[in-house]
Amino acid sequence: MTENALPRDVAAAAADLLDQGATINRLSRPLTIAALIGLIVGLGVELGALLVAGLLLVTLAGLAETYLAIRTGFDAKLFRRLAEGNDSAACRLDAALVELGVLTRSNPERTIEQRASSARRLLVLQGSALVLQVAVVLLATALAQAHVS
């Protein structure tokens, strides 16, 4: 921890950063829904194997992104609670999460910086799922355009 960053400040910044997962989710959701609709419509029509594979990949990446959006949203709320609590808030929160079965074990040595770093990784994974969705859609569009030409 730098000498200017207090644990509460790190927790508040982590919560604000994780709030960006909602934006990623808003961008991913229409792609996921469109891919699901494409798969459902494709049940009645003969779609090419490449198109089905692309739709499936976009759908699976979207489902992974949705799971990660739930996790980042939950973590953002937890970090907000840590930012508003006192120094023992992290231990009490860990104990509650262990009791609920959300956390497998409590590690009292984890610093707020380590917790924030782990949560940031979830946000990066969530963004990566969206990037995969967009890349597959762009690749499929380019392949379809090349096939038409």
Side-chain angles (χ1 to χ4, degrees), residues 20 24 27 37 50 54-55 61-62 104 107 122 124 137 140-141:
Q20 303 315 303
I24 294 170
L27 294 171
I37 290 171
L50 193 57
L55 290 171
T104 55
N107 185 356
L122 285 176
V124 169
V137 168
T141 303

Side-chain angles (χ1 to χ4, degrees), residues 110-132:
R110 276 185 64 192
T111 65
I112 195 71
E113 291 83 4
Q114 291 169 324
R115 294 167 191 267
S117 178
S118 295
R120 188 176 56 87
R121 263 182 258 137
L122 285 176
L123 184 66
V124 169
L125 284 172
Q126 184 185 359
S128 298
L130 173 62
V131 168
L132 177 62

Side-chain angles (χ1 to χ4, degrees), residues 133-147:
Q133 284 184 294
V134 171
V136 170
V137 168
L138 291 176
L139 180 63
T141 303
L143 288 173
Q145 196 66 15
H147 183 67

